[in-house]
């Protein structure tokens, strides 16, 4: 085998942030013929990441449509991948994490008898309804995959409990690799308010809230708690890049509009989000990726969910579960805003998710598995 055809498949902004560095690593290696397919499950947000990393897909399914459902996303990805795989004939398909694109991409590869590599494998909450549909997506992909690239030891152990032990590698998380590219000292934001905020003397809180399982009363509780935090702490400035979902937009504007220190802004591209995170005081989020990214930048994270598939961060002390009830969210935020020692404990804890060499380890593991490299890859944390 002269060159191994490796196709990365992704469709959402979070996937793109974590897969773009890997796609570029593969493209820079002589042993690989690197190909990239995007489904564009999230069109605008995906494109901004592709532009930042200067990554041009070889295939673009462009499936996004207004008010798309999980069924339409999955079916359009699955049928669209048929033609791509017939034409490209890759030796390996790489998918990431837990989206509908991830599941459909892995299933399509399986139908074509093409090996599957799962990047960010082994995350679990053991509740199939939370996060929904991500928890079941990643378990299904775990069953389909031949290679499993786990960020941490505990992710590997989760797979072992499911009797998945072959083709498992501990690599760290590729998002830490991405941060090395995106965060710069003298960054200028496109959103004017972000350029004039006083990040030194004010306590800027970065907020995200968009998960489906938080729709309804949980989101109402979260929004109410956020407004209470802004009211109770005059030194606090809340910056909330509001997700494009109509449900999220409606809730955010209903509960958070017309407050002088709550700034509802348009979604940020990855570079702007990472640089805002690097400058903020605290992160409050229901996102998965931010739980990994913020600790790498020394920022405490309050998770606005009932559980997390990233327990390593909780154990390390970089993340705390705040839940979805108003009072606990308010109390935990209040503690970090008023108690410097509690804040420092989280800010100075060691990030368990990587050292910026995850993409290199994954590429080494692929080369070793297919006989293109004599030495096995180093394990993260070894």
């Amino acid at each position: 085998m002269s060159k191994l055809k490796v196709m990365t498949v992704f469709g959402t902004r979070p996937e793109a942030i974590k897969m773009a560095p890997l796609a570029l690593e593969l493209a820079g290696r002589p042993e690989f013929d690197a190909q990239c397919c995007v489904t564009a499950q999230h069109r605008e947000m995906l494109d901004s990441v592709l532009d930042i990393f200067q990554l041009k897909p070889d295939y673009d399914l462009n499936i996004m449509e207004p008010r798309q459902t999980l069924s339409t996303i999955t079916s359009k990805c699955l049928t669209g991948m048929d033609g791509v795989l017939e034409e490209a004939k890759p030796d390996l398909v790489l998918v990431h994490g837990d989206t509908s694109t991830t599941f459909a991409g892995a299933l399509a590869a399986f139908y074509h008898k093409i090996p599957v590599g799962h990047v960010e494998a082994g995350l679990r909450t053991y509740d199939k309804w939370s996060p929904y549909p991500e928890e079941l997506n990643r378990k299904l992909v775990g069953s389909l995959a031949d290679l499993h690239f786990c960020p941490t030891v505990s992710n590997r152990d989760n797979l072992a409990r499911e009797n998945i032990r072959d083709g498992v590698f501990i690599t760290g998380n590729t998002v830490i690799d991405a941060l090395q590219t995106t965060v710069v000292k003298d960054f200028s934001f496109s959103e004017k308010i972000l350029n004039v905020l006083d990040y030194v003397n004010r306590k800027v809180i970065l907020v995200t809230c968009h998960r489906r399982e938080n729709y309804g009363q949980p989101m109402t509780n979260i929004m109410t708690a956020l407004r209470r935090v802004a009211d109770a702490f005059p030194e606090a400035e809340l910056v909330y890049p509001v997700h494009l979902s109509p449900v999220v937009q409606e809730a955010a504007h209903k509960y958070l509009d017309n407050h002088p220190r709550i700034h509802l802004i348009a979604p940020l591209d990855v570079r702007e989000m990472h640089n805002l995170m690097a400058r903020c005081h605290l992160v409050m989020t229901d996102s998965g990726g931010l739980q990994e990214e913020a600790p790498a930048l020394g920022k405490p994270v309050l998770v606005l969910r009932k559980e997390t598939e990233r327990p390593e961060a909780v154990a390390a002390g970089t993340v705390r579960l705040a839940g979805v009830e108003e009072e606990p969210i308010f109390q935990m935020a209040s503690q970090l805003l008023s108690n410097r020692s509690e804040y420092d404990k989280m800010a100075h804890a060691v990030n368990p998710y990587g050292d910026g060499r995850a993409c290199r380890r994954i590429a080494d593991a692929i080369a070793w598995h297919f006989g293109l490299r004599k030495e096995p890859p180093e394990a993260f944390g070894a």
Side-chain angles (χ1 to χ4, degrees), residues 30 34 102 115 143 152-153 157 160 174 217 220 245 288 299 316 344 355 362 377:
T102 303
S143 297
T152 69
V153 171
D157 293 345
T174 59
Q217 190 60 47
T220 297
S245 159
K299 309 301 175 179
D344 286 344
D355 55 8
I362 292 170

Side-chain angles (χ1 to χ4, degrees), residues 271-287:
R271 190 164 46 191
E272 295 203 295
M273 179 65 90
H274 285 175
N275 280 279
L276 175 56
M277 204 184 312
R279 289 157 176 77
C280 77
H281 182 73
L282 168 66
V283 176
M284 298 177 68
T285 183
D286 64 359
S287 164

Side-chain angles (χ1 to χ4, degrees), residues 262-321:
I262 299 179
H263 312 287
L264 303 181
I265 63 174
L268 300 174
D269 68 34
V270 58
R271 190 164 46 191
E272 295 203 295
M273 179 65 90
H274 285 175
N275 280 279
L276 175 56
M277 204 184 312
R279 289 157 176 77
C280 77
H281 182 73
L282 168 66
V283 176
M284 298 177 68
T285 183
D286 64 359
S287 164
L290 268 64
Q291 296 176 50
E292 301 153 346
E293 296 161 355
L297 298 168
K299 309 301 175 179
V301 181
L302 293 182
V303 179
L304 306 173
R305 291 169 56 186
K306 292 184 289 186
E307 74 293 299
T308 178
E309 56 282 272
R310 294 165 172 85
E312 303 91 348
V314 177
T318 62
V319 160
R320 292 180 183 175
L321 275 175

Side-chain angles (χ1 to χ4, degrees), residues 95-230:
V95 295
H96 180 279
D98 51 26
T99 70
S100 298
T101 286
T102 303
F103 170 54
L107 186 60
F110 169 71
Y111 285 163
H112 286 259
K113 297 186 177 180
I114 299 169
V116 174
H118 189 195
V119 180
E120 199 179 87
L123 279 68
R124 298 290 185 270
T125 64
Y126 299 105
D127 177 355
K128 73 177 183 179
W129 301 112
S130 184
Y132 168 81
E134 290 88 351
E135 175 69 6
L136 204 57
N137 281 342
R138 56 188 169 225
K139 289 191 73 174
L140 292 167
V141 174
S143 297
L144 292 165
D146 303 274
L147 300 176
H148 311 262
F149 305 111
C150 299
T152 69
V153 171
S154 66
N155 301 149
R156 178 202 63 190
D157 293 345
N158 288 341
L159 294 180
R161 280 189 285 271
E162 297 168 17
N163 206 31
I164 298 173
R165 295 182 174 85
D166 295 332
V168 178
F169 304 89
I170 304 169
T171 62
N173 198 299
T174 59
V175 75
I176 310 302
D177 301 34
L179 286 170
Q180 296 181 334
T181 300
T182 55
V183 175
V184 295
K185 184 178 179 181
D186 298 316
F187 186 80
S188 180
F189 295 93
S190 60
E191 186 75 43
K192 290 181 180 178
I193 185 63
L194 301 183
N195 289 318
V196 299
L197 284 175
D198 185 348
Y199 298 99
V200 177
N201 299 304
R202 310 287 289 169
K203 293 181 177 177
V204 176
I205 301 173
L206 170 59
V207 175
T208 74
C209 180
H210 69 277
R211 282 199 175 273
R212 290 173 183 266
E213 63 265 28
N214 279 341
Y215 286 5
Q217 190 60 47
M219 193 162 288
T220 297
N221 297 341
I222 291 167
M223 301 299 173
T224 306
L226 292 172
R227 193 168 188 108
R228 278 183 66 189
V229 169

